[in-house]
Amino acid sequence: MRCAVASFDGVVSVSAARSGGARGDGARGGGHGGRAGGRGGGGDGLKTKTRRARHASTSGAMHLEVRLDPPSLEQPVPKLIVFDLDDTIWFPELYMMAGAPWSCDRRGVVTDCANEELRVYPAAREAIAMIATHAAFAETKLAVASRTNRAQWAFAVMDLHVCKSRYVSSDERKDSIAHNNKTLRQSVGDLAEIYTGSKRNHFESLRLRTKIPFSDMLFFDNEKVNVTEVGQLGVVSIHCSGGMSQGAWEEGLRTFAENAKRRRAKQAKD
């Protein structure tokens, strides 16, 4: 599968393959992207989903176990990595669920009041665990940005889900075991922007609170409208339709590193 690439003032927005790590050929294009609104959204880009489609994800990304390779310690990495929630970190989307009260069994399976499971994409689980544990990300913060109008549900689920890697490497930080048992909410801390409206607002808030420039951020989202809007701020934004995948993760890190190296080369010339 190819990766469709669009350039926004030097920032690359990528529609990454759902699985695998091979980089596609890509085709650069200008302009401001597609029509606003996104899947199931209105013309103003707000989510207006009301249909409850209760079914398991058909995306290959949910059913493919992955083992992510960490970047080298010399590779530039983002200072802030931001994930969308619905159909990026987990599935079903919250609007599809019956809702609270949520529960978690001994196996770590999170379910709603109708006993339907809310599953985390394997690549999201491994990426979040890597950010929390690997030395390459020692200076990297983790955040979430969601437009759901079910913020209370989102926080409740984040309190239950533990994004624990199934693989532990000898190169991870000494405190990896402790970090690897944190819930998603503990991993994010107070960097959770969960409310309706344009995600430009979410990122403006993250920039003000962290003091991290947009150029040092990396963002993953399943909706093209969000990728387009946030990419125009100067954030490397990756479109992962069908949920977080190994291909999206690897393309995001590669694109960020390439952009960072170009900036450094330009600064050296100046």
Side-chain angles (χ1 to χ4, degrees), residues 66-81:
V66 298
R67 182 168 186 171
L68 304 180
D69 293 324
S72 69
L73 297 180
E74 293 75 31
Q75 178 176 325
V77 296
K79 293 182 180 179
L80 180 66
I81 299 179

Side-chain angles (χ1 to χ4, degrees), residues 6 11 20 66 85 92 103 130 153 159 210 213 234 252:
V11 177
V66 298
L85 292 175
S103 60
M130 183 181 292
W153 290 4
D159 275 329
T210 63

Side-chain angles (χ1 to χ4, degrees), residues 10 27 125 219:
R125 180 196 70 224
F219 175 47

Side-chain angles (χ1 to χ4, degrees), residues 125-126 129-130 133 162-168 172 180:
R125 180 196 70 224
E126 294 299 319
M130 183 181 292
T133 62
V162 176
C163 292
K164 183 175 181 178
S165 175
R166 296 189 178 180
Y167 313 96
V168 178
E172 291 172 339
N180 221 24

